[in-house]
Amino acid sequence: MQVNTTRGFLWSDVETRTLLNIWGEQDIQAALDGNFRNSFVYRDVSRRLGATGFERTPEQCRVRIKSLKRQYLLAKEGNLRNNGQYHKIYSLAGGEEAGEGLEEDAEDAQDAYSESTGECAYPAETEVKLEYPTIPIPIPVKVTVGNNSTSVRPHHSSQLASNLSARKPKRPRKRRANFPMEKLMEQFLEQSVHAEDNFYRMEEQRLQAEDNRRETEHTRELQMLQMLGQMFSSISSTRAGSAAEPSKTAPPDHAPVSSSASPSCKQGQSGHFRRPSSKTDCCTQKSQLLNPDPQAIVFERYYSLGSTSHRGMDEDFLSLVKSIVPPLTSKKHKGQDGRIGIIGGCQDYTGAPYFAAISALKAGADLSHVFCTKDAATVIKSYSPELIVHPILDSPDAVEEIDKWLPRLHALVVGPGLGREEALLKTAKEVIEKSKTRDIPIIIDADGLWLVTQQPSVIHGYHKGILTPNFMEFTRLYEALHHEPMDISNHQRSITQLSVAMGNLTMVLKGEQDLITDGSKVITCSVEGSGRRCGGQGDVLSGSLGVFAHWAHAASAAGMGKSANPSVVAAFGACSLTRQCNNQAFERHGRSTTTTDMIQEIGSAFKKLFES
């Protein structure tokens, strides 16, 4: 007979009972319960069966167990009761209680068969256990007499089964949930979508609550301003009324005059209003309250409340910056919106002047000139073809060469990559002096601040000068002018003192929040940035500040924004743009953010802040 590796030869009763005993052992059942694929378990069953003298393959053992499960289920349902097959399987299984376990396993075998045919899936967590009686099971003896064979079966098997049933309560039949895997996955996806919808709903509620809070703060702030305005109006009215009585007998020269005719109502050099020093000034400011300038309202709002970092006030001050941004029209010619010069760049530092010059172009300047040393010119030029590079900073006649270009420049940025060589610092000083005579904005940063620390008179009192120190540069400059340690607990007071000491020079102290002052009040730029601090961010600020300074002073000369200091407005615009670029670049690149990534964000950041 040909050997069938799948089903094998016929199994004897002794061999079948031995297989069932091995299969019902506790470790075998535990292995079957805990594994989805049981091929290695049946290899162990085959090995143990071989140890008893019966050689069967693992596949034959698995098929035999599966066949017994299926036959027992059919016999239990009554399909094979009439021909005695049920009693034979019942006896082999070892009684009623073991039969129940085999019945359950038969159901599991039917589930597995359904899984293989695609009708339903079988959960891996389903438990399959078979329990056996504790008493030995009598083995039937097969006697052969001549050509006739009879099977002798113990007559007391049914009695043993009844006794077992009487001693032990019938174990309740287990109910197993037989869910298809597709249905479980569908439920999981539905729960995920539901959780995501709840998250977005809560996020919308949070954002709406935040908007409501901001609106409430803005409304409260407006009410405070209205109350302050009413207080100032009542004080001015009281003073005007008290001054009206002696004016009846006083000469006409002492009568109150209007704001347009009052010679005593002056603005400071920085452009903001001073506190009234006489009754005439009070009357003049009362007239200004009756006919206010919109930009004057915004600017006086900042100066009346002092330094602040409220988002609403940032937006109000950004409106001043928007007013100085020139519109883009086809009627303009090249260079009209800004020609910026960068003094800096040596053999060791070629990135800083490039960052400043390219940031000026990206912010809206038409042309950027870089005045650098000869050994740095080729490197800087290789970074970008848009830059105009002049390798003359270390030549003997550098000042004369740069002076030829000064009439064409609208603003000058001194310091990025300049270095601290005495010859270069001397050239930078003379260029600053010549630029002051031409009345163009001068932004001093980096190594240019080292020059100011050594010789503060080079920029002292220049109303179009702007210094942009970081904390270390600011500390060094403060101690050089005041000859005492700086009070690090109050940065606003320190920057105000330093600005006054420099002749009310506009200063920008870069930090967690940029502080801007012209010696009167401190403005805080709190546009959200990021925690990333990479080299070159200060060069982006100084380059863009050169463009904003040109726009602000041009708008002031044209009669726009006379109530505000143009240098302060320009500094606020450049700080806002730099911080917004840092924030956007950090959202894209995270910890790997560099200054090059920030420069790529200048266009979108400018549009979001000043053109939306």
Side-chain angles (χ1 to χ4, degrees):
M1 179 184 297
Q2 184 179 0
V3 177
N4 188 339
T5 57
T6 303
R7 301 192 179 275
F9 299 103
L10 297 178
W11 289 66
S12 65
D13 292 345
V14 177
E15 189 177 6
T16 301
R17 190 178 303 279
T18 304
L19 175 65
L20 287 174
N21 290 335
I22 295 173
W23 181 75
E25 292 179 2
Q26 184 176 0
D27 57 339
I28 296 295
Q29 288 297 311
L32 291 173
D33 291 343
N35 296 275
F36 183 71
R37 298 190 179 276
N38 300 322
S39 58
F40 77 95
V41 181
Y42 283 103
R43 284 200 298 268
D44 189 22
V45 173
S46 174
R47 180 181 58 79
R48 297 186 187 185
L49 187 64
T52 61
F54 301 102
E55 297 294 335
R56 292 288 180 174
T57 65
E59 182 63 19
Q60 290 175 340
C61 295
R62 187 189 68 80
V63 172
R64 181 59 174 165
I65 292 294
K66 183 176 180 181
S67 176
L68 288 174
K69 292 177 183 179
R70 195 174 301 167
Q71 292 178 16
Y72 184 85
L73 179 64
L74 296 176
K76 186 70 174 178
E77 291 176 353
N79 294 336
L80 301 178
R81 287 181 184 271
N82 296 330
N83 56 9
Q85 182 69 17
Y86 168 75
H87 297 285
K88 181 178 180 179
I89 300 174
Y90 183 88
S91 175
L92 291 174
E96 181 177 357
E97 185 176 357
E100 292 177 1
L102 189 61
E103 177 183 357
E104 295 176 356
D105 293 331
E107 293 177 357
D108 296 336
Q110 187 175 3
D111 295 338
Y113 174 78
S114 302
E115 178 184 4
S116 63
T117 56
E119 297 179 0
C120 64
Y122 185 86
E125 295 82 1
T126 306
E127 296 183 358
V128 181
K129 293 186 178 179
L130 183 63
E131 296 184 1
Y132 293 91
T134 57
I135 62 175
I137 302 175
I139 303 175
V141 181
K142 187 176 182 181
V143 182
T144 304
V145 180
N147 295 329
N148 298 327
S149 62
T150 59
S151 177
V152 181
R153 185 180 50 177
H155 297 284
H156 61 279
S157 59
S158 59
Q159 297 177 0
L160 293 175
S162 60
N163 293 336
L164 289 173
S165 301
R167 284 200 303 267
K168 294 185 179 181
K170 185 175 181 180
R171 187 162 54 92
R173 183 177 179 179
K174 295 183 179 180
R175 301 286 183 179
R176 296 183 179 86
N178 190 13
F179 294 105
M181 186 61 67
E182 293 80 1
K183 186 174 181 180
L184 294 175
M185 184 59 68
E186 182 179 356
Q187 292 179 356
F188 173 74
L189 294 177
E190 290 178 356
Q191 293 176 357
S192 300
V193 172
H194 183 66
E196 187 174 358
D197 293 339
N198 291 337
F199 171 76
Y200 284 123
R201 190 180 303 109
M202 294 177 63
E203 188 67 14
E204 290 177 358
Q205 294 176 357
R206 186 187 68 80
L207 293 176
Q208 185 176 3
E210 184 69 15
D211 293 338
N212 294 337
R213 183 186 63 81
R214 290 175 180 172
E215 291 179 0
T216 303
E217 290 182 357
H218 188 65
T219 304
R220 188 182 301 111
E221 185 181 336
L222 292 177
Q223 293 176 354
M224 289 177 59
L225 291 174
Q226 292 176 358
M227 293 174 60
L228 289 174
Q230 294 175 359
M231 291 173 59
F232 291 151
S233 299
S234 60
I235 293 174
S236 300
S237 300
T238 304
R239 292 183 178 179
S242 61
E245 297 179 357
S247 65
K248 296 180 180 180
T249 58
D253 294 339
H254 296 281
V257 294
S258 63
S259 60
S260 59
S262 175
S264 59
C265 183
K266 298 180 180 180
Q267 296 180 0
Q269 187 178 14
S270 59
H272 59 273
F273 292 100
R274 296 178 179 175
R275 180 175 297 195
S277 58
S278 65
K279 298 177 180 179
T280 305
D281 292 343
C282 293
C283 298
T284 303
Q285 288 195 3
K286 180 180 179 182
S287 176
Q288 291 173 351
L289 290 173
L290 296 176
N291 299 294
D293 181 9
Q295 294 182 356
I297 292 176
V298 175
F299 200 75
E300 285 203 17
R301 174 183 177 181
Y302 273 84
Y303 276 82
S304 62
L305 296 179
S307 60
T308 179
S309 60
H310 293 296
R311 181 180 179 87
M313 291 191 175
D314 281 349
E315 294 176 354
D316 290 340
F317 211 87
L318 284 175
S319 63
L320 289 177
V321 182
K322 292 179 182 180
S323 66
I324 68 172
V325 176
L328 298 176
T329 64
S330 58
K331 298 180 181 180
K332 292 183 177 180
H333 57 79
K334 181 178 64 176
Q336 186 173 349
D337 280 344
R339 296 184 294 270
I340 310 302
I342 310 296
I343 306 296
C346 60
Q347 182 179 4
D348 296 331
Y349 305 107
T350 58
Y354 161 73
F355 288 144
I358 200 67
S359 298
L361 285 178
K362 292 285 188 178
D366 293 338
L367 298 172
S368 280
H369 296 260
V370 179
F371 300 92
C372 61
T373 61
K374 293 181 181 180
D375 48 8
T378 304
V379 181
I380 297 174
K381 188 66 176 179
S382 66
Y383 292 153
S384 174
E386 287 88 359
L387 305 182
I388 304 173
V389 182
H390 307 274
I392 60 177
L393 191 58
D394 55 349
S395 61
D397 55 347
V399 179
E400 290 75 11
E401 292 293 333
I402 297 176
D403 188 44
K404 296 177 182 179
W405 290 94
L406 289 180
R408 308 182 188 182
L409 301 181
H410 293 128
L412 194 68
V413 180
V414 181
L418 179 62
R420 297 181 181 180
E421 294 184 10
E422 185 177 354
L424 297 181
L425 293 177
K426 181 180 178 181
T427 300
K429 175 185 177 182
E430 295 180 8
V431 172
I432 293 175
E433 295 292 348
K434 290 186 176 294
S435 301
K436 289 165 58 178
T437 60
R438 298 186 181 277
D439 198 36
I440 64 176
I442 303 175
I443 292 87
I444 300 181
D445 185 38
D447 293 325
L449 294 171
W450 176 263
L451 172 63
V452 176
T453 302
Q454 305 301 320
Q455 304 179 46
S457 60
V458 69
I459 196 67
H460 183 279
Y462 185 58
H463 69 287
K464 290 187 178 181
I466 305 175
L467 305 184
T468 59
N470 57 29
F471 180 76
M472 293 301 298
E473 294 165 342
F474 179 81
T475 303
R476 187 165 49 238
L477 185 58
Y478 182 92
E479 294 177 354
L481 267 70
H482 290 82
H483 305 286
E484 62 180 6
M486 183 186 69
D487 183 11
I488 61 176
S489 63
N490 193 339
H491 289 174
Q492 295 186 4
R493 178 183 178 184
S494 299
I495 191 176
T496 303
Q497 292 176 348
L498 183 57
S499 176
V500 172
M502 292 293 296
N504 290 93
L505 202 65
T506 300
M507 305 194 69
V508 178
L509 176 57
K510 298 175 288 189
E512 181 180 0
Q513 290 183 339
D514 297 335
L515 302 180
I516 307 168
T517 185
D518 57 359
S520 177
K521 292 292 182 180
V522 179
I523 307 300
T524 303
C525 180
S526 58
V527 175
E528 184 178 0
S530 75
R532 174 62 171 152
R533 294 291 184 269
C534 55
Q537 296 187 43
D539 303 314
V540 176
L541 173 63
S542 61
S544 58
L545 181 52
V547 183
F548 281 101
H550 163 58
W551 291 345
H553 285 282
S556 178
M560 299 174 57
K562 289 184 178 181
S563 60
N565 184 347
S567 296
V568 174
V569 176
F572 189 90
C575 291
S576 301
L577 179 63
T578 304
R579 297 174 72 89
Q580 182 66 29
C581 291
N582 182 262
N583 179 270
Q584 294 181 189
F586 186 78
E587 289 180 355
R588 292 177 179 268
H589 305 281
R591 188 177 292 274
S592 64
T593 302
T594 61
T595 303
T596 303
D597 301 324
M598 292 176 54
I599 292 174
Q600 296 175 357
E601 300 293 334
I602 290 180
S604 59
F606 191 98
K607 183 177 181 180
K608 181 177 182 179
L609 290 174
F610 310 123
E611 295 180 346
S612 60

